[in-house]
Amino acid sequence: MTRALPHLRALAALGAAGLLLAACGGSDDGDAVATDAAPAAGADSTDEPAGDGDTAASGDVPAWCGPEEITLGFTDGFGGNSWRLVTTESGRDEAAKCPSVTEFLYADGQGDTQKAISDIQGMVAQGVDALVVFPDAGEAMLPALRSAFEAGVVTVPYRVDPGGEDGVDYTAFIALDNENDGQNYAAGIQELLPDGGNVLFLGGPAGNSQSTQAAEAMQAALDPELYTFIGEQPFEVTNWDPALAQQVLTAAIARYDDIDVIVSDFGPSLVGALPEFENAGRTIPPLVTSDGNVLGCFWEENQEANEGFELFTIATGNDHVRTAMQYAIAQATGGEVPESTAHQHALFENSVTGDPNEVQCEPDLPGDIYLSAELPAEEQAALLE
């Protein structure tokens, strides 16, 4: 029996543009399948403790935090949806672990590229020592990044590739390892569907690097004699928009008698579309995707009525900002600079093995929180009030 879904209402409220900007990312490098597992919300973690600078307050200063005091700036091209609210707070939380960060400045470009550029210029004028940037507008942000870098500011863009080169146009770009995501998706498919079958991949906007590179890595890892990729190639375009995902999935259900597994690089956007299987008199197939509270709760509410509806997820990536913060702070304070300039999404849920986590659902909390994130679920929920 399916009960009322407050998560679905919350998801719908996100809106198409918000979802697109939340999940959008760029990628460059990295080649290893992630073996790290994101702990479930509330579980113990072997990583640095989170929350309001507890690490710094306790005197347990991380190695990436050096002795030089700095003012740290953080700019978003767009900061107005739940994913960004959680990500921004995660960045603030990571910076709070370093007592050498004496001032933290934040600016939201509100989806306006010119404002995002002005925000960077304003931060430099205010004398920040280091700047972490989510450059949503991509290469349009490169001149502003280069100007900050040439002014002597440690400049660290992350997630969306702005073009340019490390050490020339900015200090370093902290990329998302999309190839690793694709390899993990392939591993999930092989586990859930060992004898092969038809694979439908729902990605983001046409040509985006996140979906494209993940699709390439996934196809390279799967035996073409066993697995057939159906739909548009390299992926069906959904813009990570729930309404468009529903249109695409409805068309795919009508076109293909057998959809054996669905892959998506932003799982929460699928939730509104999955009932289309029931509408067509079919059961929901296994999903290989990224996590979200709304998705975990949907699985719990519907898995008994849909034989074979299994769920394999990776983290949706709010903690990517922590990697960028560590790198920027280390460079500016004289701390130990992290060796890697790529962030990998950790494995998160597996409904078959429970490794590294069972499917997670917090039914009393909003659907648009992300239980893979280091920031506690209750703190995420408070951000959405």
Side-chain angles (χ1 to χ4, degrees), residues 2-357:
T2 300
R3 55 191 166 94
L5 292 173
H7 324 89
L8 291 176
R9 294 195 294 272
L11 182 69
L14 289 176
L19 284 167
L20 187 156
L21 289 162
C24 179
S27 173
D28 280 332
D29 48 16
D31 55 8
V33 177
T35 54
D36 293 339
D44 291 337
S45 170
T46 56
D47 295 330
E48 297 292 340
D52 303 322
D54 287 348
T55 306
S58 68
D60 187 12
V61 177
W64 46 264
C65 176
E68 301 294 329
E69 292 188 347
I70 65 166
T71 295
L72 175 65
F74 180 25
T75 69
D76 257 327
F78 173 82
N81 63 28
S82 63
W83 192 91
R84 292 303 181 92
L85 289 173
V86 172
T87 298
T88 299
E89 188 60 23
S90 297
R92 194 189 311 275
D93 179 71
E94 195 68 10
K97 295 175 182 176
C98 179
S100 298
V101 179
T102 58
E103 189 173 8
F104 183 94
L105 305 177
Y106 173 74
D108 174 9
Q110 301 174 356
D112 181 337
T113 300
Q114 188 54 54
K115 182 180 185 306
I117 292 171
S118 297
D119 288 340
I120 292 175
Q121 295 169 336
M123 292 271 184
V124 174
Q126 291 180 71
V128 298
D129 302 288
L131 188 59
V132 174
V133 179
F134 198 132
D136 289 270
E139 294 188 9
M141 302 302 297
L142 186 58
L145 294 168
R146 185 187 301 120
S147 179
F149 179 64
E150 290 176 346
V153 176
V154 172
T155 305
V156 178
Y158 79 105
R159 201 161 183 91
V160 175
D161 190 349
E165 298 180 34
D166 290 357
V168 176
D169 300 290
Y170 37 74
T171 306
F173 169 53
I174 307 300
L176 176 61
D177 190 345
N178 297 316
E179 182 179 346
N180 183 69
D181 283 355
Q183 292 168 340
N184 281 324
Y185 292 150
I189 292 169
Q190 290 169 321
E191 183 173 311
L192 298 177
L193 206 65
D195 296 328
N198 290 337
V199 181
L200 178 66
F201 183 20
L202 306 184
N208 83 87
S209 59
Q210 179 175 338
S211 302
T212 300
Q213 294 171 6
E216 291 172 350
M218 184 167 47
Q219 294 189 16
L222 293 175
D223 183 350
E225 298 295 324
L226 293 177
Y227 299 95
T228 301
F229 286 84
I230 59 176
E232 295 297 320
Q233 300 301 312
F235 56 85
E236 289 277 5
V237 172
T238 71
N239 295 346
W240 297 306
D241 170 5
L244 184 54
Q246 185 169 358
Q247 293 177 25
V248 170
L249 193 55
T250 299
I253 291 171
R255 182 177 178 185
Y256 301 104
D257 292 334
D258 296 310
I259 300 174
D260 298 307
V261 61
I262 296 175
V263 181
S264 168
D265 47 4
F266 191 48
S269 69
L270 292 179
V271 170
L274 294 174
E276 293 300 325
F277 281 97
E278 294 177 323
N279 294 338
R282 295 161 62 171
T283 58
I284 302 172
L287 302 182
V288 174
T289 184
S290 64
D291 85 296
N293 194 36
V294 65
L295 180 61
C297 291
F298 179 89
W299 182 85
E300 285 199 350
E301 293 160 354
N302 291 276
Q303 55 93 16
E304 286 188 5
N306 289 270
E307 184 178 2
F309 178 28
E310 302 292 352
L311 183 62
F312 175 100
T313 69
I314 62 174
T316 196
N318 303 93
D319 292 331
H320 190 171
V321 68
R322 294 181 184 272
T323 308
M325 286 287 171
Q326 292 174 13
Y327 196 95
I329 292 170
Q331 287 280 358
T333 64
E336 184 176 314
V337 179
E339 293 183 2
S340 175
T341 57
H343 178 82
Q344 295 184 336
H345 290 155
L347 304 178
F348 187 55
E349 298 161 305
N350 188 320
S351 65
V352 176
T353 67
D355 183 23
N357 298 299

